[in-house]
Amino acid sequence: MSVKLEKSWLNVLKEEFEQEYMLQLKQFLLEQKKAGEVIYPKSDDIFNAFKLTPFDNVKVVILGQDPYHRPNQAHGLSFSVQKGNKHPPSLKNIFKELTEDIVGFETPIDGDLTQWAQQGVLLINATLTVNAGLAGSHQQQGWEIFTDKVIATLSEKREDLIFILWGKFAQAKEELIDSAKHHIIKSHHPSPFSAYGGFFGSKPFSKTNEILKSLGKEEINWSL
């Protein structure tokens, strides 16, 4: 695993890469490759969220759980899928909510959310890699320690960020966030199993822009 972290992120997280858990994680990934496993996303894309959204540019955080595990899908951004792919079920529901929440939003052909990342939406999964065809296969190998540190560092060193927490997994991370300094938007997960239980109609995107507007910050253009 080659670490190509954007400079501003490296400034606040460089010590993490010297920790024992990270060394063990690197060893785990090497062993998976030696065993012939295909790992997604490709190595150059593992830290894509950090590359596209520098530390000082973060305005919004959307936390996912695991990268997509099918070919040509994952590219280092939570919920996002590479161009030319069908929208996975959760992303399909995200777009469905957007059409109801944001006036003029039209469901895009592609599900690549790079434009959100470039506007300050940090799209990170708790686990940053996965074996092809094996959902959750890299959980509990160290990635969660790293991404928890990312959330805690944002909470500590930044102010007035908006954390969008969908589902129980993401909401468990709330304990890492100083709610006196930041804004938290919660609802059910956009997964087909839970979207009708409270994700649809939750209006996270317009709520985010209302908060940004109240802070005098530029709103997110959610259209793709």
Side-chain angles (χ1 to χ4, degrees), residues 19-217:
Q19 301 297 321
E20 184 63 28
Y21 81 85
M22 187 59 79
L23 300 177
Q24 291 176 358
L25 174 59
K26 287 180 181 179
Q27 186 61 34
F28 167 77
L29 293 172
L30 284 171
E31 288 171 359
Q32 293 298 299
K33 286 186 176 181
K34 284 181 182 176
E37 296 287 354
V38 175
I39 295 175
Y40 298 136
K42 64 182 183 181
S43 58
D44 285 347
D45 286 345
I46 291 173
F47 295 102
N48 213 13
F50 303 90
K51 179 171 64 179
L52 291 168
T53 315
F55 181 77
D56 295 325
N57 292 4
V58 177
K59 295 195 285 190
V60 182
V61 180
I62 299 180
L63 181 67
Q65 189 166 357
D66 210 42
Y68 298 123
H69 58 271
R70 303 200 184 284
N72 303 312
Q73 286 187 317
H75 63 127
L77 302 178
S78 61
F79 296 102
S80 180
V81 68
Q82 292 184 49
K83 286 181 169 64
N85 283 269
K86 287 173 58 179
H87 301 164
S90 289
L91 183 59
K92 192 178 294 185
N93 286 338
I94 287 170
F95 288 152
K96 185 175 180 179
E97 174 64 11
L98 271 159
T99 61
E100 297 295 324
D101 188 18
I102 299 294
V103 175
F105 181 87
E106 296 181 4
T107 300
I109 294 172
D110 285 310
D112 183 345
L113 306 181
T114 294
Q115 290 179 50
W116 292 3
Q118 291 170 334
Q119 294 178 76
V121 182
L122 182 67
L123 297 160
I124 56 165
N125 285 308
T127 304
L128 299 188
T129 55
V130 69
N131 282 350
L134 293 170
S137 49
H138 290 193
Q139 291 177 4
Q140 308 304 319
Q141 297 296 333
W143 278 129
E144 294 92 340
I145 302 173
F146 175 73
T147 52
D148 279 1
K149 181 67 174 179
V150 170
I151 296 167
T153 301
L154 284 166
S155 178
E156 178 190 351
K157 295 183 180 295
R158 297 289 312 278
E159 291 185 5
D160 281 322
L161 299 182
I162 302 164
F163 290 85
I164 299 177
L165 306 178
W166 288 328
K168 291 180 180 178
F169 177 85
Q171 288 163 24
K173 306 294 183 180
E174 190 172 355
E175 64 183 20
L176 301 169
I177 304 163
D178 184 348
S179 59
K181 291 172 59 182
H182 302 286
H183 310 266
I184 298 173
I185 296 173
K186 296 188 288 186
S187 78
H188 282 65
H189 195 276
S191 155
F193 300 107
S194 59
Y196 285 95
F199 174 74
F200 289 135
S202 63
K203 300 186 179 298
F205 308 102
S206 60
K207 286 177 181 176
T208 293
N209 278 350
E210 285 167 11
I211 294 169
L212 290 172
K213 188 176 181 180
S214 74
L215 296 169
K217 295 181 180 181

